[in-house]
């Protein structure tokens, strides 16, 4: 196992922390204009959507070229998005998406 990505994860956490912490640390957040509150509310889902799109739709082949992929990840994303939209619970959607992927891989139906 390579530990090189651990440093990158820590760095990305430090870089993205201010945008995630503003709603928690800002007194009087309710006095922000509506567009400001909407922006802060949608930062998390937008980041997760971007990560899901890159990790699900694009895979690098042996020559290092990115290629489009359709696989079990798409099903997991659809399940997660549907549950989040239906139940308004991001954690539930993420957990169910991971479970779909894990179960399909355990059953040998996905790589």
């Amino acid at each position: 196992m390579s530990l090189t990505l651990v440093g990158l994860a820590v760095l990305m956490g430090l870089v993205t922390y201010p945008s995630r912490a503003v709603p928690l640390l800002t007194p009087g957040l309710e006095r922000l204009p509506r567009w400001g509150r909407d922006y802060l509310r949608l930062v998390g889902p937008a980041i997760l959507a971007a990560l899901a799109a890159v990790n699900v739709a694009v895979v690098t082949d042996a020559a290092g070229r990115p290629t489009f992929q359709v696989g079990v990840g798409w099903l997991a994303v659809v399940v997660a998005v549907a549950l989040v939209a239906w139940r308004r619970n991001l954690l539930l959607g993420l957990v169910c998406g991971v479970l779909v992927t894990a179960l399909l891989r355990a059953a040998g139906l996905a790589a």
Side-chain angles (χ1 to χ4, degrees):
M1 182 170 101
S2 173
L3 295 178
T4 58
L5 294 179
V6 173
L8 180 62
V10 170
L11 176 66
M12 292 307 298
L14 291 173
V15 169
T16 61
Y17 180 75
S19 66
R20 293 180 284 126
V22 166
L24 300 173
L25 302 175
T26 305
L29 188 64
E30 65 278 352
R31 292 189 308 255
L32 280 175
R34 178 159 175 78
W35 61 267
R37 287 192 314 268
D38 288 345
Y39 170 79
L40 292 174
R41 186 175 55 88
L42 296 173
V43 166
I47 291 169
L48 287 174
L51 290 172
V54 169
N55 289 314
V56 169
V58 179
V59 66
T60 305
D61 63 9
R65 295 179 307 242
T67 58
F68 184 75
Q69 152 184 308
V70 176
V72 68
W74 284 99
L75 178 61
V77 169
V78 168
V79 166
V81 168
L83 280 170
V84 169
W86 177 48
R87 302 296 297 174
R88 299 281 186 217
N89 188 333
L90 182 61
L91 180 62
L92 177 67
L94 292 174
V95 168
C96 289
V98 169
L99 284 175
V100 165
T101 304
L103 291 173
L104 288 174
R105 287 183 178 170
L109 299 173

